[in-house]
Amino acid sequence: MLVILTALDIEGAAVRKHLTNLRAHHHETGTVFEVGTLTSRPSCEVALAVIGMGTVNAAAITERAIAEFRPSAVMFVGIAGGLREWIALGDVVVATRVYAYQGGRVDGDEFLARPQAWDTSHRLVQLAKHVNRAHAWPGAAETPAAVHFEPIAAGEVVLNSTTGPERDRLRSHYNDAVAVEMESSGVALAGHLHESTPTIAIRGISDLADGNKHRVDSNGWQDTAVHNAAAFAAGLAQAIDQTSGQAVDRERDYTPTTTQPAPGVRTMSVSGGNAVGDITSTGAVTVDQKVTTYARRHPFLVGLMALGLAAVLALAGWGAYLVVGQGTTSTNTGSSPVPPSLDRSTPEGTAQSFADALTAGDRQRAESIVCAERRDWFAQRFSIVENYRSGNAEEDGVSLAGVTLSVSVLKVAPAESPSANGASYTARLAWIHTNIPETIDPEVKLQLSKPDDWGTGLRQEPTGSWSVC
């Protein structure tokens, strides 16, 4: 997942031309994102939002987008004013550093700069330079625009003067900045504060901040500049997704050590908001080191342990069914019994009850544990169980009929920070595939042998019971 933000509608429209299958994604606080895929690379999922002008808007919505989607990178795409005579209208500037240039102290008639600055992720800059060298962005061969990799400055004013005090301060204190705009410092700050999420600013030069903005805007340079910036952003998004895919391919020959986290476990973090996509579409992350390392080194033993755990849970559920004498019939088919009686008195008990209900395929019980605002999220996950039960599940076109799913609770811990929906604990669970036939394609079998790790929040309700939220 990547997030692309813009300030203006014209900028959002330019980015939207490179996306397909767009659908609205409503954040609970009111922000509307559009989620789709990159036209040139359908595996690359993108969340787009038009947020308005200014560093404050940019910081707030960027933080919200990171918490909601947990993206691998955030790109801010739009227009900027050029500050150098060698910068041409329509050129693209990729920020290697972002200055928040208005910070300072006024002492008498003297302005004393107190700058903040954020360097762009080395990896993103290197990928962007490769995209430029390879002309790997839409329209690169047809445009005369040049791509520059230089620092930019961001503040709360629209600069359209060569003699104003803001221009003098840029010249004196931020002399290496080649463009000026109004949002990127807020984006960079939000990324820095949110677990160092990589951010990058891509700006098309629509004017030269020299008092002629109205004239050049009326001549159509905004359209040209934003078209070039959006096209380069699309090329960079494709490169980011491609390198992520290569990293997953390399994991097949990877042997983890006791000091290096094991890759290869696909995840979807949903503790901060509504999830987007399905479980098997996500990238590699780190899970608990001991569990993952052991699982990678002893996949068959772990599979047997998972089967044993599933059997114990099945017997326990069947015993509870006989003791309690429930008259309802589980929605699961075959020999899987209903799960044990629900325990929602603790976060740990709630997570285990939810896992048991999913394993048994008992939708009514599982859904009763989920808070109201997460029912759509739950429906996505339960549909995966339904596909396996009905024999409709596939991986790369290969039928997984006969393969079953169980759910294991890996870890329950206090949340690092309160989320928007009030969750005070996080739980990490994992889909574990069992009954994998020996005749299945070895590549598919290798992927199925890895637990699909995902997370959720746990919230205590006013009644004292806990809910998956």
Side-chain angles (χ1 to χ4, degrees), residues 100-333:
Y101 73 90
Q102 288 187 298
R105 171 179 174 176
V106 177
D107 197 345
D109 294 331
E110 186 179 14
F111 179 84
L112 305 174
R114 293 184 175 180
Q116 283 185 293
W118 299 269
D119 286 342
T120 302
S121 158
H122 172 72
R123 175 173 174 267
L124 292 185
V125 171
Q126 290 293 299
L127 280 176
K129 288 183 176 180
H130 175 73
V131 169
N132 183 42
R133 287 192 299 268
H135 299 288
W137 50 287
E142 292 78 33
T143 180
V147 180
H148 308 277
F149 297 85
E150 302 286 349
I152 65 174
E156 290 287 358
V157 298
V158 176
L159 184 61
N160 187 32
S161 171
T162 59
T163 59
E166 297 294 337
R167 188 65 175 249
D168 290 340
R169 289 168 188 166
L170 287 169
R171 187 181 299 112
S172 299
H173 301 296
Y174 310 95
N175 190 255
D176 57 344
V178 305
V180 60
E181 37 93 339
M182 297 180 62
E183 291 83 28
S184 293
S185 60
V187 175
L189 173 61
H192 169 72
L193 294 178
H194 212 297
E195 300 176 348
S196 298
T197 300
T199 66
I200 191 167
I202 301 171
R203 296 286 180 166
I205 300 301
S206 62
D207 65 85
L208 300 178
D210 59 358
N212 295 307
K213 179 174 174 57
H214 179 74
R215 178 177 60 81
V216 295
D217 284 354
S218 63
N219 288 337
W221 281 108
Q222 272 195 349
D223 290 335
T224 301
V226 77
H227 168 82
N228 293 342
F232 190 86
L236 178 56
Q238 178 170 318
I240 293 172
D241 191 66
Q242 285 174 336
T243 55
S244 298
Q246 291 169 6
V248 171
D249 290 339
R250 287 195 297 271
E251 290 158 12
R252 295 173 181 172
D253 299 321
Y254 178 82
T255 301
T257 67
T258 56
T259 59
Q260 188 171 12
V265 181
R266 293 166 292 172
T267 186
M268 177 167 289
S269 174
V270 295
S271 59
N274 296 328
V276 175
D278 57 44
I279 291 173
T280 59
S281 70
T282 55
V285 298
T286 300
V287 194
D288 180 81
Q289 183 60 54
K290 293 182 180 179
V291 174
T292 308
T293 301
Y294 191 84
R296 290 295 299 254
R297 289 179 175 173
H298 310 282
F300 295 105
L301 181 58
V302 170
L304 291 175
M305 293 170 62
L307 283 172
L309 176 61
V312 170
L313 291 175
L315 290 173
W318 182 247
Y321 175 78
L322 294 177
V323 172
V324 176
Q326 296 178 359
T328 58
T329 302
S330 171
T331 59
N332 195 19
T333 60

Side-chain angles (χ1 to χ4, degrees), residues 52 92 101 104 369 381 443 459 462:
V92 174
Y101 73 90
I369 308 174
R381 271 136 191 83
E443 297 293 328
R459 181 179 74 189

Side-chain angles (χ1 to χ4, degrees), residues 5-9 11 49-58 61 76 182-183:
L5 303 176
T6 71
L8 306 176
D9 288 331
E11 298 163 340
V50 179
I51 67 172
M53 297 168 62
T55 58
V56 176
N57 274 347
I61 303 301
F76 203 96
M182 297 180 62
E183 291 83 28

Side-chain angles (χ1 to χ4, degrees), residues 8-99:
L8 306 176
D9 288 331
I10 187 176
E11 298 163 340
V15 173
R16 204 173 287 114
K17 292 178 181 178
H18 299 278
L19 303 177
T20 189
N21 298 324
L22 287 169
R23 61 191 184 277
H25 178 91
H26 297 269
H27 190 275
E28 60 185 8
T29 59
T31 304
V32 179
F33 295 88
E34 293 176 276
V35 177
T37 56
L38 200 62
T39 302
S40 59
R41 188 172 176 84
S43 64
C44 181
E45 196 168 26
V46 176
L48 169 67
V50 179
I51 67 172
M53 297 168 62
T55 58
V56 176
N57 274 347
I61 303 301
T62 301
E63 198 283 333
R64 184 171 295 169
I66 293 173
E68 183 79 352
F69 299 109
R70 299 288 178 177
S72 56
V74 177
M75 290 188 276
F76 203 96
V77 179
I79 57 176
L83 297 176
R84 291 288 185 275
E85 64 279 357
W86 44 267
I87 294 284
L89 294 174
D91 281 0
V92 174
V93 176
V94 178
T96 57
R97 178 182 300 126
V98 176
Y99 293 116

Side-chain angles (χ1 to χ4, degrees), residues 267-271 273-282 354 358-359 361 363 366 370 374-388 405 407 429 431 452-456 468:
T267 186
M268 177 167 289
S269 174
V270 295
S271 59
N274 296 328
V276 175
D278 57 44
I279 291 173
T280 59
S281 70
T282 55
F354 184 61
L358 281 177
T359 297
R363 177 165 189 159
V370 180
R374 301 302 298 280
R375 296 295 168 81
D376 290 342
W377 167 86
F378 167 77
Q380 292 176 350
R381 271 136 191 83
F382 193 81
S383 67
I384 298 173
V385 177
E386 289 286 82
N387 281 335
Y388 275 88
L405 278 181
V407 182
L429 303 96
W431 297 114
D452 280 329
D453 174 49
W454 50 285
T456 185
V468 171

